[in-house]
């Protein structure tokens, strides 16, 4: 399974765009990249998933370069409620959906 | 859709006692996962099932841990006997297929004294 590396923590201010980059140098051909968000006392919640190039939904954008060895989660105009831990996962769903969580990035949004 | 339902929400027990954690996945989801979260080790995958069959239990820490899925709508994680180092938040998650995201419950916070 591909190992992921993320910054341990990041700080931002309300209204700013936040970009969290994840490294996954040994990503395999069949692996997808998925990001989850976790608030205290809650289970992780799916944010976005992609395989290559760019994916956008109502919450975030995911940028994946051609070599797929990294990915960047972009959160536009963050608010205080975006303070959470963000996890980047890489997994081969064709092998049964086994997903391993890394340490995550603790994002703190300040007023 | 009620989401993944876990019970109890909190469990406090004494060392040596048996603990049973319960999970009801989202209806129609074929995959069920048990994770454990601690400050030291983060989120660890313990075991996962596909169509009620355990597929990978390599994350189960010891023989004291066991998990079952007797039907598509119910799973249990049992610890017998429990130890203080088992104290953690235990999450259950389900997904509809092997290309879909995981849906997590709100977890069971276990404290073993």
């Amino acid at each position: 399974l591909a190992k992921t590396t993320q910054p341990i923590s990041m700080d931002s201010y309300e209204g700013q765009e936040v970009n969290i980059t994840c490294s996954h140098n040994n990503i395999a051909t069949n692996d997808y990249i998925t990001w989850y968000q976790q608030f205290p006392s809650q289970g992780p919640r799916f944010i976005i998933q992609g395989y290559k190039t760019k994916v956008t939904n109502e919450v975030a954008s995911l940028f994946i370069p051609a070599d797929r060895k990294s990915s960047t989660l972009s959160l536009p105009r963050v608010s205080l409620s975006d303070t959470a831990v963000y996890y980047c996962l890489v997994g081969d769903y064709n092998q049964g959906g086994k997903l391993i969580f890394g340490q995550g990035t603790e994002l703190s949004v300040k007023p | 859709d009620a989401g993944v339902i876990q019970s109890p929400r909190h469990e406090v027990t004494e060392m040596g006692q048996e603990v049973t954690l319960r999970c009801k996945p989202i209806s129609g989801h074929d995959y069920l996962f048990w994770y454990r979260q601690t400050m030291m080790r983060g989120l660890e995958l313990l075991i996962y099932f596909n169509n009620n069959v355990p597929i990978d239990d390599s994350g189960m820490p010891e023989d004291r841990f066991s998990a079952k899925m007797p039907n598509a709508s119910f799973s249990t994680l049992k610890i017998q006997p429990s130890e203080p180092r088992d104290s953690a938040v235990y999450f259950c998650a389900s997904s509809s297929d092997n290309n879909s995201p995981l849906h997590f419950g709100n977890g069971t916070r276990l404290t073993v004294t």
Side-chain angles (χ1 to χ4, degrees), chain A residues 24-76:
Chain A
H24 27 80
N25 291 321
N26 59 339
I27 188 170
T29 302
N30 291 333
D31 286 344
Y32 280 76
I33 300 158
T34 312
W35 286 80
Y36 286 81
Q37 174 192 56
Q38 186 178 24
F39 297 113
S41 301
Q42 294 184 24
R45 184 178 70 172
F46 170 82
I47 302 175
I48 197 166
Q49 177 180 304
Y51 184 80
K52 62 181 179 180
T53 62
K54 177 184 174 182
V55 180
T56 298
N57 61 23
E58 65 278 6
V59 177
S61 294
L62 179 60
F63 298 92
I64 306 169
D67 66 6
R68 304 202 323 126
K69 293 184 183 299
S70 67
S71 58
T72 299
L73 175 72
S74 181
L75 304 172

Side-chain angles (χ1 to χ4, degrees), chain A:
Chain A
L1 292 171
K3 177 180 169 58
T4 60
T5 303
Q6 307 173 232
I8 293 176
S9 64
M10 292 181 68
D11 291 330
S12 182
Y13 291 93
E14 281 191 294
Q16 288 187 333
E17 177 183 81
V18 171
N19 296 308
I20 306 175
T21 297
C22 177
S23 297
H24 27 80
N25 291 321
N26 59 339
I27 188 170
T29 302
N30 291 333
D31 286 344
Y32 280 76
I33 300 158
T34 312
W35 286 80
Y36 286 81
Q37 174 192 56
Q38 186 178 24
F39 297 113
S41 301
Q42 294 184 24
R45 184 178 70 172
F46 170 82
I47 302 175
I48 197 166
Q49 177 180 304
Y51 184 80
K52 62 181 179 180
T53 62
K54 177 184 174 182
V55 180
T56 298
N57 61 23
E58 65 278 6
V59 177
S61 294
L62 179 60
F63 298 92
I64 306 169
D67 66 6
R68 304 202 323 126
K69 293 184 183 299
S70 67
S71 58
T72 299
L73 175 72
S74 181
L75 304 172
R77 297 179 298 280
V78 294
S79 64
L80 296 177
S81 63
D82 292 317
T83 294
V85 178
Y86 292 82
Y87 294 96
C88 163
L89 286 78
V90 172
D92 180 359
Y93 285 90
N94 291 323
Q95 290 189 0
K98 180 174 180 176
L99 291 179
I100 306 298
F101 283 78
Q103 63 184 15
T105 298
E106 187 169 2
L107 173 66
S108 178
V109 180
K110 303 174 182 178

Side-chain angles (χ1 to χ4, degrees), chain B residues 34-94:
Chain B
W34 282 100
Y35 284 85
R36 176 174 70 175
Q37 186 171 37
T38 61
M39 287 294 292
M40 291 296 294
R41 301 175 69 92
L43 268 163
E44 302 173 275
L45 176 63
L46 301 178
I47 185 172
Y48 77 95
F49 296 81
N50 180 24
N51 291 322
N52 313 337
V53 177
I55 302 301
D56 188 334
D57 65 354
S58 59
M60 296 285 264
E62 302 172 27
D63 291 345
R64 298 184 297 106
F65 285 69
S66 63
K68 294 182 180 179
M69 193 165 185
N71 57 61
S73 60
F74 184 66
S75 177
T76 59
L77 178 67
K78 186 175 294 186
I79 308 172
Q80 166 64 21
S82 59
E83 297 182 3
R85 59 191 167 126
D86 301 331
S87 296
V89 180
Y90 290 80
F91 288 105
C92 175
S94 68

